[in-house]
Amino acid sequence: MLAYNLHPRVIGRITACWNPSRLLETNVFRNIIAISIAFVIFSASGNKAHADDPSIHWKKLTTKNFTITFPSEYRNTAQRVASMAEEAHRLLVPLMGHKTASPTHIVISSYTDQANGSATVYFRKTIRLFLTFPSDISELSDFDDWLWILIVHEYTHILHMDTMGQLPRLINKIFGQLWVPNSLLPTWVVESMAVYSETKFSSVGRNRSSIYSMYLRASVLDNQLLSLAQITSAPIPYPHGTIPYLYGSRFLWYLARKYSDSTLKHFSASYGSTLIPFGVNKSARKAFGRTFVELYKEFSAFLHKQVATFVAPVRDRGIRRGQAITRGGEFKFYPVFHPTDPTTLVYIGHDGHSPNALHLVKITGAGQVIHHERLHGRMIGPGRPSWGNNSLWFHNLEMHKATYSFNDVYQLRLGTKSFRRVTRGGRISSPDFSFRKKVLVAVKSSATSSDLVQLNTRGKVDKVILRGAQYEQFYTPSLSPGGDEVVFSRYKSGKRDICLYNLKTNTLTSITNDRAMDTGPVFSPDGAYILFSSDRTEIFNIYAYHLKTGALFQVTNVLNGAFAPSLSADGRLLAYAGYTSKGYEIFILPFSPRAFLNPLEPLPVREAAHFMPRGPTYKISDYSPLPYLSPVAWFADWGYTVSNAASLTMMGFDPLNHHSWYMTANYSPQEELGELYLSYGNNQTPIPVEVSLTTGQYNKNNMNVNEAWHQYPWNYFKGEVAATFPFVSQMRQTLAGYLYGSAYRGIPREERPVPRPDSPLPVWPEGSWRASVKA
């Protein structure tokens, strides 16, 4: 989840690349000021790259501390968000030691099938929530109540960044919210605060995540634990952008348990009050008694000791791990054997040097690779693929109506390698093909729930197999060899379990029912077992459930993690995705029921899930942008906006970014220049439009009378209209048209001297028109 809307280059310049030894150099401060002002200008002029959907009817409701804006169809969810937000306020204000002086705006939308949220306090305190649940497997996938965790995380950012001392607060009261010291902290500090809250006030959170523990454990075991400098700088190793969240959250969790979580608000208040930014260790010393450099060495030693203790009993049971058939680390996931050919499998992944792609692998009977081929390279947000008749079925994230990014079903024919988009805007994922019935079973998602559906090969939903309740989620359905049963992973009421649905009798059976995270189920080719991955011992391993006896067995016993099992057609080889300190690889392990281990009792990796009771019902009204279009920020400068001129700048925009305006006035006494620039942008139309008007006056000297050049005032007016519209809008390919038109009118306002009879003919100024169109 993003913490703020700063451009990554700006973040990199003022956090990751800061050099304390240059603190006293004047040009450093000038650069910081220049970057900050440029950020203010570009942010205010509109921060959406595409138009909104004009068909959405936006509503709003108001609570004591929040204003919730949402599409009308999500009114029930908005009421729940409102109650959660007020409860988050009650819990987080004491923790963070700060209460905001004005309400926080929460914007709810469903533009994407990728789970995320963002928060900013620049200009206006705003949280944006995507009503999309996390995907099958990721560091976000383990949750008890997704909306609650998302709200707690983002509101922690609001309280943290809004904490500031008297001088920044005074400046922000005068000019608008422009100076936010805590937003200039390293990313790992900003994000660790929010992850700490999401864990403290839920039964899960990423500080209890088995995937996060796996990431750190693998690095410790391979002596690849990152230094404090590495997690503060741009995250280069795997898992890349997760590194600040991962290391920062576990580091802060460790400090809070050692020193109490009251130290967090002391640190936040200290840094938020600094007049000169970037003294992170100075504030750390005030809050914890030592610098982060000293504390991180202690934390690293703690991790090594903790991991050694944790893996000792795992080693004592005997490691059972396959051989990696891929190299290079990064991401390789969802291996799937061919249903009839035990020497062929596909997987989805990349090595960090090329985009995600479908890969075809040929192996020997002993699991040795003899052929590797990259089939298709436009995979975004991929899930488990499925074999069809000489083809592969899978889902992919793609643009829809130039505004939405939704999952759709695709088919790749292996003979011709032709690529076909089967659905458009379907929000359909994880298709599994039935060779017997020639249909697909898949998951169809909405903003707050999902259904298990049957598709034909043209992408039409023929039947809803199982309709999910509100906030219920289905993942990775897999058909039995006969096509009469489907097994899938289901989230419901804080649990992630394996379920079996009989398509003939329409009966649902729970295979597992515990607080472990159970994922990626598949049938064995003979239909005797259901294989799946579970973190029931705080390490993800592959398990086998015997359908006739109901017995559960542990297949792998790894130190890091094993996911997404697939069994070869002859039942001899097991493929799975295994984690290493460099990322995920595909592993092959001989599959032998004789070598199965009896499963250990599930560890209490999570508390019992708890959910907020229904709160009060708030009054809903239509959303209007007008109350929000007053200036949110202004500033004055000399010589920065225009050389040798005084400038006054102000701007405004509504929380949905439907309407934005920008104004600057310039005056130069030396050049006798006066100018006013007004700009208005509309993102609610199908094609975003920006209209601007410039008017001003300056002195010109091209009037020649009586053999002398004379100055006179020149008034000018300029109108401009610009629009950008997409022809092709895809996740990796965009073709857009740009249309610009302008009209200029110049008018002389001169007092004409009287020409002498003996002088040459005078040169009088004339008014002018100029128009231009660009495409």
Side-chain angles (χ1 to χ4, degrees):
M1 300 166 205
L2 300 178
Y4 30 73
N5 291 340
L6 288 172
H7 191 283
R9 291 182 181 175
V10 175
I11 296 173
R13 288 178 185 174
I14 60 180
T15 58
C17 299
W18 175 255
N19 183 352
S21 66
R22 299 180 60 195
L23 186 63
L24 299 179
E25 294 185 23
T26 305
N27 64 325
V28 171
F29 289 106
R30 290 193 61 184
N31 290 337
I32 294 170
I33 293 170
I35 291 170
S36 301
I37 294 175
F39 159 66
V40 168
I41 293 172
F42 290 122
S43 297
S45 62
N47 44 23
K48 289 187 73 173
H50 54 73
D52 201 350
D53 186 343
S55 67
I56 296 177
H57 187 193
W58 290 92
K59 298 283 189 175
K60 76 168 186 175
L61 61 84
T62 301
T63 72
K64 183 179 180 181
N65 297 289
F66 299 90
T67 297
I68 320 288
T69 307
F70 55 94
S72 57
E73 62 265 33
Y74 301 137
R75 58 181 62 232
N76 291 335
T77 300
Q79 295 283 359
R80 189 162 183 255
V81 167
S83 298
M84 287 181 169
E86 285 295 338
E87 178 66 7
H89 178 84
R90 184 184 72 83
L91 295 172
L92 290 172
V93 165
L95 175 68
M96 301 304 296
H98 176 69
K99 182 178 180 180
T100 59
S102 58
T104 298
H105 292 262
I106 298 179
V107 178
I108 301 173
S109 62
S110 182
Y111 290 109
T112 180
D113 279 341
Q114 291 189 314
N116 211 335
S118 66
T120 181
V121 298
Y122 281 96
F123 309 121
R124 179 185 292 121
K125 291 181 282 292
T126 305
I127 293 173
R128 303 187 185 279
L129 305 178
F130 295 146
L131 290 184
T132 302
F133 279 66
S135 58
D136 175 35
I137 289 289
S138 76
E139 55 264 25
L140 299 178
S141 299
D142 194 359
F143 54 88
D144 49 8
D145 189 319
W146 171 243
L147 270 179
W148 170 249
I149 284 182
L150 190 60
I151 290 168
V152 168
H153 183 104
E154 302 303 343
Y155 193 52
T156 301
H157 284 322
I158 295 293
L159 295 178
H160 179 209
M161 289 188 288
D162 194 58
T163 301
M164 59 188 68
Q166 294 302 315
L167 182 57
R169 189 164 297 282
L170 176 62
I171 290 176
N172 289 335
K173 283 184 178 180
I174 298 173
F175 295 99
Q177 195 92 338
L178 304 175
W179 185 0
V180 185
N182 276 333
S183 73
L184 301 180
L185 282 163
T187 305
W188 69 263
V189 180
V190 176
E191 294 300 341
S192 64
M193 291 280 193
V195 175
Y196 179 84
S197 296
E198 78 181 41
T199 307
K200 180 179 176 66
F201 297 116
S202 77
S203 64
V204 193
R206 277 172 278 187
N207 276 323
R208 297 191 185 97
S209 165
S210 297
I211 290 182
Y212 262 34
S213 297
M214 175 186 74
Y215 288 161
L216 281 179
R217 183 170 60 248
S219 296
V220 170
L221 291 174
D222 288 352
N223 291 316
Q224 297 294 322
L225 198 66
L226 299 182
S227 67
L228 184 62
Q230 288 174 303
I231 70 171
T232 302
S233 302
I236 296 175
Y238 194 87
H240 306 304
T242 297
I243 286 173
Y245 297 77
L246 169 67
Y247 281 80
S249 64
R250 291 300 171 97
F251 184 26
L252 204 70
W253 185 256
Y254 166 79
L255 295 177
R257 285 188 291 180
K258 180 174 180 179
Y259 296 98
S260 88
D261 57 16
S262 64
T263 55
L264 305 185
K265 61 184 177 184
H266 296 323
F267 175 81
S268 176
S270 172
Y271 195 84
S273 301
T274 54
L275 300 182
I276 300 177
F278 313 116
V280 181
N281 281 315
K282 180 181 178 181
S283 295
R285 190 181 289 108
K286 287 183 179 180
F288 304 104
R290 287 188 288 169
T291 66
F292 279 141
V293 175
E294 297 167 316
L295 292 168
Y296 191 81
K297 291 179 180 178
E298 180 184 291
F299 169 66
S300 299
F302 165 78
L303 281 181
H304 280 85
K305 183 177 179 180
Q306 183 188 56
V307 168
T309 303
F310 182 78
V311 302
V314 181
R315 295 185 192 273
D316 291 343
R317 288 194 80 198
I319 300 299
R320 181 155 176 77
R321 167 185 164 179
Q323 294 294 321
I325 63 169
T326 59
R327 297 289 184 272
E330 293 294 320
F331 180 82
K332 289 100 176 178
F333 220 82
Y334 295 116
V336 179
F337 271 106
H338 191 278
T340 59
D341 183 359
T343 65
T344 303
L345 73 153
V346 293
Y347 70 88
I348 292 176
H350 66 87
D351 59 3
H353 301 286
S354 55
N356 254 342
L358 271 167
H359 295 259
L360 177 70
V361 178
K362 291 279 190 178
I363 59 174
T364 65
Q368 303 298 316
V369 177
I370 55 177
H371 176 75
H372 182 258
E373 182 181 358
R374 188 171 183 267
L375 295 176
H376 180 71
R378 284 181 54 197
M379 310 296 293
I380 304 172
R384 186 169 63 194
S386 174
W387 290 93
N389 290 322
N390 197 35
S391 65
L392 288 166
W393 298 89
F394 54 92
H395 79 251
N396 202 21
L397 195 72
E398 191 52 272
M399 295 299 298
H400 176 62
K401 295 182 178 179
T403 299
Y404 302 92
S405 55
F406 287 158
N407 286 321
D408 276 311
V409 175
Y410 290 77
Q411 182 186 25
L412 177 67
R413 299 188 182 279
L414 294 175
T416 61
K417 293 187 179 180
S418 60
F419 178 69
R420 181 170 72 102
R421 184 175 180 177
V422 180
T423 64
R424 292 188 177 274
R427 307 194 76 171
I428 298 175
S429 61
S430 302
D432 192 57
F433 184 75
S434 170
F435 279 84
R436 179 182 174 186
K437 298 183 178 181
K438 303 297 185 291
V439 295
L440 296 158
V441 171
V443 174
K444 182 174 176 59
S445 299
S446 66
T448 57
S449 63
S450 64
D451 299 329
L452 198 63
V453 298
Q454 177 182 300
L455 304 173
N456 60 34
T457 55
R458 296 184 304 276
K460 182 182 178 181
V461 176
D462 290 332
K463 180 173 66 173
V464 176
I465 299 171
L466 189 60
R467 193 174 297 280
Q470 192 172 34
Y471 308 118
E472 186 175 6
Q473 300 291 313
F474 301 131
Y475 301 95
T476 56
S478 178
L479 288 159
S480 64
D484 295 327
E485 293 178 301
V486 58
V487 65
F488 53 91
S489 177
R490 177 180 70 169
Y491 163 82
K492 185 177 183 180
S493 301
K495 294 183 178 181
R496 183 77 179 273
D497 292 315
I498 305 301
C499 296
L500 180 67
Y501 189 82
N502 191 300
L503 298 174
K504 284 187 174 181
T505 62
N506 295 323
T507 55
L508 180 67
T509 304
S510 293
I511 301 300
T512 62
N513 184 20
D514 51 47
R515 285 288 285 151
M517 188 175 171
D518 303 327
T519 69
V522 293
F523 286 93
S524 61
D526 59 5
Y529 292 96
I530 291 175
L531 303 173
F532 63 94
S533 175
S534 175
D535 71 339
R536 56 197 300 113
T537 62
E538 294 189 87
I539 296 178
F540 277 94
N541 272 295
I542 307 300
Y543 291 83
Y545 175 83
H546 195 270
L547 281 165
K548 284 189 176 180
T549 65
L552 183 67
F553 303 97
Q554 185 175 336
V555 181
T556 65
N557 189 44
V558 299
L559 294 175
N560 295 326
F563 307 83
S566 179
L567 205 56
S568 61
D570 57 9
R572 296 177 56 191
L573 296 177
L574 170 71
Y576 67 88
Y579 188 75
T580 73
S581 61
K582 295 182 179 180
Y584 292 92
E585 304 286 2
I586 302 302
F587 288 80
I588 296 291
L589 175 72
F591 185 78
S592 173
R594 297 178 184 177
F596 287 172
L597 300 170
N598 290 320
L600 300 173
E601 287 296 318
L603 294 177
V605 293
R606 298 164 192 83
E607 305 167 3
H610 59 277
F611 298 91
M612 283 187 53
R614 184 178 178 85
T617 299
Y618 297 95
K619 182 181 178 180
I620 295 176
S621 60
D622 287 335
Y623 169 80
S624 173
L626 293 179
Y628 307 108
L629 292 179
S630 58
V632 294
W634 71 276
F635 56 87
D637 70 87
W638 175 271
Y640 180 81
T641 304
V642 176
S643 298
N644 298 319
S647 298
L648 175 67
T649 302
M650 60 180 62
M651 72 284 291
F653 56 91
D654 69 307
L656 293 180
N657 291 320
H658 285 170
H659 307 272
S660 60
W661 64 270
Y662 174 82
M663 185 201 80
T664 183
N666 306 307
Y667 174 70
S668 175
Q670 296 177 353
E671 300 179 8
E672 299 184 25
L673 165 71
E675 183 179 67
L676 178 66
Y677 172 83
L678 296 170
S679 174
Y680 166 74
N682 190 318
N683 280 315
Q684 197 178 14
T685 55
I687 298 174
V689 176
E690 184 171 355
V691 180
S692 63
L693 174 66
T694 307
T695 182
Q697 175 181 297
Y698 66 95
N699 288 335
K700 296 183 73 172
N701 59 358
N702 62 343
M703 179 171 59
N704 191 298
V705 182
N706 299 327
E707 300 184 274
W709 294 100
H710 298 267
Q711 281 193 343
Y712 62 92
W714 177 266
N715 285 20
Y716 59 92
F717 305 89
K718 184 178 182 180
E720 299 169 281
V721 179
T724 303
F725 46 94
F727 295 110
V728 176
S729 183
Q730 297 178 350
M731 295 297 290
R732 292 191 183 277
Q733 297 181 26
T734 299
L735 177 63
Y738 173 76
L739 185 63
Y740 168 86
S742 70
Y744 174 90
R745 170 63 167 162
I747 304 172
R749 301 293 186 190
E750 79 280 11
E751 295 181 3
R752 300 190 176 191
V754 177
R756 297 195 309 269
D758 60 340
S759 66
L761 290 175
V763 178
W764 301 113
E766 296 181 359
S768 65
W769 281 95
R770 184 170 69 248
S772 65
V773 176
K774 300 177 183 178

